């Protein structure tokens, strides 16, 4: 018997970086030994390792029930990745005009100004 059921929201956790992805349990196969998630990945029904990974030592991501805060962490991680990719690809040949770039900069500055300041700041 598995701790998960079809329709459960789960989080794929990496042992070093924490919550990576949010998914939903779509189905069980292989006599309820394999769990298929909404992102297409297959896991053992207990969520401890991916299905049919080689027989060697496995220390990788695991599937756990989604806990409070997991969605925020995953959303933040994804947003930071998109922003970094955007900034990395940005150069003078980019198709965005000066007005669009100025709007982006203004929004970044507004969000930074609205963010809570660290308590231990010595400014």
């Amino acid at each position: 018997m598995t701790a998960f059921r079809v329709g459960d929201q789960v989080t794929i956790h990496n042992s070093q970086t924490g919550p990576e992805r949010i998914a939903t349990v779509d189905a069980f196969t292989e006599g309820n030994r394999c769990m298929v998630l909404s992102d297409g990945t297959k896991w053992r029904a207990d969520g401890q390792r991916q299905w049919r990974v080689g027989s060697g030592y496995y220390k990788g991501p695991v599937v756990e029930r989604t806990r409070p805060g997991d969605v925020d962490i995953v959303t933040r991680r994804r947003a930071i990745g998109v922003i970094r990719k955007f900034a990395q690809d940005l150069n003078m040949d980019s198709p965005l005009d000066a007005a669009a770039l100025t709007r982006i900069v203004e929004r970044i500055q507004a969000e930074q100004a609205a963010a809570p300041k660290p308590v231990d700041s010595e400014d």
Side-chain angles (χ1 to χ4, degrees), residues 61-81:
V62 296
V63 174
E64 297 178 359
R65 290 190 176 284
T66 299
R67 295 181 289 216
D70 284 356
V71 173
D72 290 336
I73 292 169
V74 170
T75 302
R76 186 174 184 179
R77 175 172 282 139
R78 298 272 180 228
I80 289 169

Side-chain angles (χ1 to χ4, degrees), residues 1 16 20 29 31 33 35 42 44-45 54-55 58 70-71 73 80 83 87 93 102 107 119:
M1 181 86 188
Q16 295 189 2
E20 287 185 342
T29 61
R33 293 179 298 141
M35 177 171 54
K42 295 180 178 182
R44 278 190 352 195
S55 61
Y58 182 80
D70 284 356
V71 173
I73 292 169
I80 289 169
I83 293 167
D93 297 327
T102 301
R107 185 61 195 200
V119 175

Side-chain angles (χ1 to χ4, degrees), residues 7-76:
D8 283 351
Q9 185 179 40
V10 295
T11 304
I12 292 87
H13 282 262
N14 184 303
S15 60
Q16 295 189 2
T17 58
E20 287 185 342
R21 301 188 308 273
I22 304 293
T24 305
V25 177
D26 277 352
F28 287 93
T29 61
E30 309 291 332
N32 288 336
R33 293 179 298 141
C34 176
M35 177 171 54
V36 181
L37 302 183
S38 58
D39 63 0
T41 58
K42 295 180 178 182
W43 296 80
R44 278 190 352 195
D46 64 2
Q48 294 304 304
R49 69 180 180 117
Q50 287 190 293
W51 186 253
R52 297 192 183 176
V53 173
S55 61
Y57 178 73
Y58 182 80
K59 183 178 181 183
V62 296
V63 174
E64 297 178 359
R65 290 190 176 284
T66 299
R67 295 181 289 216
D70 284 356
V71 173
D72 290 336
I73 292 169
V74 170
T75 302
R76 186 174 184 179

